[in-house]
Amino acid sequence: MRKQSRKVSRSIVSKTVIGIIMMLLGFAVIIILIGYYGFTDALLKRYSEDAFWAAYSAQVYIDPDMLDSYMMSGGKNRSHESVSRNLQKICDNSGVAFIYVIKPDTTDYNHIKFIFTTKNSNNDYTLYDVGYVRQTTNDEYRLKYRQLYEKEIDRAIVVRDKGYIETDPHVTVMLPLYSTFSGDVTGILCVQVQMEALTASRNSFIVKVIIALLTLTFMYIVFIIQYISRLILSPLKQITAEASSFAKKGKGNVRLSEKIKNKDEVGELALAIDNMEDQIHEYVKNLTKITEERQRIKTELSLAAKIQADAIPNEFPAFPERSEFDIYASMTPAKEVGGDFYDFFLIDDDHLCILIADVSGKGVPAALFMMATKNIFGSLAMKGISPAEVLQFSNEMICTKNKESMFLTAWLGILEISTGKLVCANAGHDYPIVRNKEGQFECVKDKHGILIGEFPDVKYENYEIQLKSESKVFLYTDGLPEANNSKGGMFGIERTLKALNKDPEASPQVLLSNVTKAVDGFVKNADQFDDLTMVCLEYKN
C-alpha cells in the first residue's frame, strides 16, 4: 500500500511538473515568435528607410540617359568617375553595404549588366567591373526587375535572410531610372544593407527569454511540489488506502470525512467517497434483488415463448401424407412473445383452413389475446361454416369479453383441395399475394372488412381465388412491409414482390427463406420493430 501511495505521489508531482513545463514552453514559443517577428518587422522597416534614403540621394548624381555611354566607356571617362566618387561617399556616409546600377536583359530578365558598383569602405566584398554580366540570382529579383521596367511599381524591396546567401543576409531596395526624353526605364539603381544588427538583436532577445523562463520554471516547480505535498498528497494517500481496502474487501476501514478536515475539494472528495461506499452497499443489495427478479421474469418469458411456439404449427412438412399441396410458415416476434399468429388445419379430407392474424400491441398481453382468439377461430372453422361467418362469429365472441379494447386483423381462407377453389374473407388484414398465371407473384387487392374486436355487429364478405396447378398464395403480417432500416425507410410491398419473384417456382420454404434474407439485407443492424409472420401455400393438384 505504501509503495502504491508513493507511486501515486510521484505520478501527480511528475504530471504537474510536466504540465508546468509544457505550459511555459508554449508561452515561451509565443513570446519568442512575437519578439522575433516584431523585431524583424521594426528593423526591416528601419533598414528599408535608410536604404531608400541612400538610393534617393544617389539617384540625383546619375543621368539615366547616359547609362549606355557610361557602360561603353568601361568606367574610364570623367563623368563615370565623378558619379562613382559621389556614390562611394553616400555609401560610406549612410552605412549601406553596396550601391550599384544595373541594366537587366529585358527579354527574360535572367541576366543583368553592371554599370556602377560601389561598396562601403568597411567591408571586403569584391566589386564587379563595368559591363560585367551576371545571372539573376533568384525569381524574386527577376520579378522585381520586370515590374520596375514595365512600370507596375515605382520602387521595390527584396529581403534575403534564408538559405545560402553569397553576401550574408541583407535588404536590397531598388529605384527605376527614367529617361528624361522618353520616360522609359533605362536602368535600376540598387542599394544593399546588411542585416547583422537584426540577427544579433533577435538572438540576444531569444537568449534572454529562455534564461528568464528557465528561472521562472524552476522557482514555480519548487513551490508547486511543496504545496502539493502538504495540502494534497497526504490526504490523497489516506483516500487511496481507503479506496483500495474497499475494492478488495467490499468495506472500508475508516470514515474519511472524520480524518480529513480539509475545507476544499480534497475534503469534499473524502466525504464523497464515504457517501459512495454507503451507496454502493445499498446498490449491491438492491441489484441482487433486481437480478433475481429479472431472472425469474426471463425464465417465465422463455417458458411463455415456448408455449406460444408450441401452440402454432411448427413441424414441417405439416402434411407429409398429402401430395396435393404444400405449406410452410414462420413467425419472428419483436419481443420474447408476440401478437402475430397463424394456423392451418384440415377441416375434413377435402378442406384446408388457413389463418393469419395480427393482434394489436406486443409482448405478453398480445400473446395472451392471441392464444384466446386462435382457439375461437379454430373451433368455429371446424363447424364447416364459411370464412366470412367464422370472422363474424369470432368478432361477436371477442367483443363481448374485450374490456381491454384490444383488436386484431385477420385473413382466413378455406381451400377445397379437390377443385383448387379458395374461399377467403379479410378483416382489415394485409392483401394476400398470389402467383398469377404468368408465373409471377402479385397482390390481390381484396375487400377489407372491419377489424375484429372493434364493433360487435359486423358482416364480412367471402370472395374466391381459383388456384391452378403450381399456384401459390403468400400471406404475411404488417411487420414485413413495415420493417425499418436505420434510416427510417420501410421494406415495402415492392421489395416483397421482388424477393418472391426472384425464384417463383421455389418451394414455400425456399420462398420464405428468400424473403427473410431480403428483409435482413435491408434492415441490417436496425432493431426489429414489429412481429413478422409469413405463410405460403402451394397448390399442386
Side-chain angles (χ1 to χ4, degrees), residues 347 378-385 390 393:
I347 298 174
S379 61
L380 288 172
M382 289 300 294
K383 295 180 179 293
I385 59 179
V390 172
F393 296 147

Side-chain angles (χ1 to χ4, degrees), residues 119 123 152 176 218 241 293 302 324 356 372 390 453 468 471 475 488:
K119 70 180 184 66
N123 66 50
E152 295 179 6
F218 177 76
E293 181 67 16
S302 177
E324 306 98 317
I356 188 169
V390 172
K468 304 294 184 181
S471 292
L475 308 170

